[in-house]
Amino acid sequence: MEYFYCPDLSEDSDLVNLLSEEAHHLRNVFRKSPGEKIVLTNGHGLTATAEIEAADKKGVACKVKEVHKQAPSISRRISVALALIRPNRMDWAVEKLTELGVGSIYPVTTRFTSVNVFKEKHLRKIMVSALKQSKQAFLPELKPLMSFADWIAENDSYPDRIKLIAHMANDAVDISRLSLSSEKKIAIAIGPEGGFSVEEIAGCEQSGFRKVKLDNHILRAETAAISAVVHLKRYL
Ligand code: SAM
């Protein structure tokens, strides 16, 4: 059954209305009609089977049949800071990170960030679409754009977190050789096309970050983000 995004869905929902874009999708893309069954997800852990009651230009009303509370998948322990990259590449990265089920995505600006486009609303739409396509109940948190320094400082307030920075250097640990506690949350930073500056790496190390190598080759930032998460998921 197709998934539709319904942020208003709650544990005691009886009748819900789909928002305009979801309603348009349901009627015009999936061509669903009254009587058909669908699945609703609120992106915060709830899914529900529902039956379409009415679907017209005014909107889509759904009768909620059964609400399920999903347990968060363990991959939600991973949080990724991704330096801004070209919009089409950022779109791709955010879509794949959502499919992989990370807990949060921090778009950041770094010393060598050369892109200044951050389309938050557009990225959220891509995430919602990936959430539905991958049939999940949890949407990653898309954080507001912040400086890399602020992101490091934010992590300082969580001493228990495993902190990693993806950086190709001779003294970086191969990510497949890390020994990590499976209980803890993991924060990992991915740099922009120009990489991290020496000062940024030093700042991270002072804050307890470990440098990790992802591959023997230099990967594009978006590939690096996905590769890092796929590796880290094996520890969880
Ligand atoms: N010229 C840059 C450099 O030498 O750092 C290349 C930057 S790479 C295109 C973009 C980001 O992806 C890097 O800052 C790093 O975070 C990550 N990255 C790419 N390949 C990596 C690898 N093999 N190991 C670790 N991190 C990598």
Side-chain angles (χ1 to χ4, degrees), residues 23-218:
H24 165 82
H25 243 82
L26 181 139
R27 288 179 53 240
N28 303 320
V29 180
F30 289 101
R31 307 219 165 262
K32 298 272 177 204
S33 16
E36 288 193 74
K37 297 233 171 37
I38 56 170
V39 177
L40 303 173
T41 172
N42 73 349
H44 288 287
L46 293 184
T47 58
T49 45
E51 187 176 315
I52 303 167
E53 284 227 322
D56 55 31
K57 280 191 183 141
K58 283 190 231 139
V60 171
C62 304
K63 175 92 182 145
V64 176
K65 297 286 184 190
E66 212 176 331
V67 181
H68 308 270
K69 197 170 181 176
Q70 312 285 347
S73 78
I74 43 179
S75 54
R76 287 188 58 76
R77 290 201 203 124
I78 303 172
S79 125
V80 180
L82 178 58
L84 284 190
I85 45 179
R86 272 188 280 153
N88 60 332
R89 297 187 179 283
M90 195 75 183
D91 291 357
W92 188 87
V94 162
E95 180 183 76
K96 302 304 161 208
L97 290 172
T98 305
E99 285 171 35
L100 290 168
V102 301
S104 47
I105 301 171
Y106 286 78
V108 293
T109 51
T110 65
R111 168 93 195 278
F112 298 135
T113 301
S114 59
V115 171
N116 58 12
V117 183
F118 174 54
K119 295 184 181 165
E120 193 172 336
K121 223 172 142 187
H122 168 76
L123 291 175
R124 277 188 203 286
K125 272 192 194 172
I126 289 176
M127 290 167 66
V128 166
S129 170
L131 170 88
K132 294 185 293 178
Q133 184 271 328
S134 54
K135 302 196 173 187
Q136 294 186 70
F138 288 92
L139 199 55
E141 242 187 294
L142 179 65
K143 301 286 186 174
L145 183 63
M146 64 171 71
S147 71
F148 189 53
D150 283 349
W151 180 76
I152 295 175
E154 187 176 314
N155 275 288
D156 278 343
S157 42
Y158 298 101
D160 208 28
R161 203 167 268 188
I162 295 164
K163 300 191 279 187
L164 307 171
I165 177 166
H167 183 60
M168 188 81 154
N170 289 338
D171 59 346
V173 184
D174 192 316
I175 196 163
S176 58
R177 302 219 172 123
L178 279 176
S179 69
L180 300 177
S181 146
S182 61
E183 298 297 302
K184 294 184 177 177
K185 292 197 169 179
I186 305 174
I188 184 157
I190 309 292
E193 288 311 312
F196 288 111
S197 71
V198 174
E199 294 78 15
E200 285 167 337
I201 298 290
C204 272
E205 288 187 306
Q206 270 167 23
S207 285
F209 280 77
R210 273 182 280 172
K211 291 182 294 212
V212 287
K213 186 175 114 176
L214 305 171
D215 201 285
N216 289 331
H217 309 131
I218 299 264

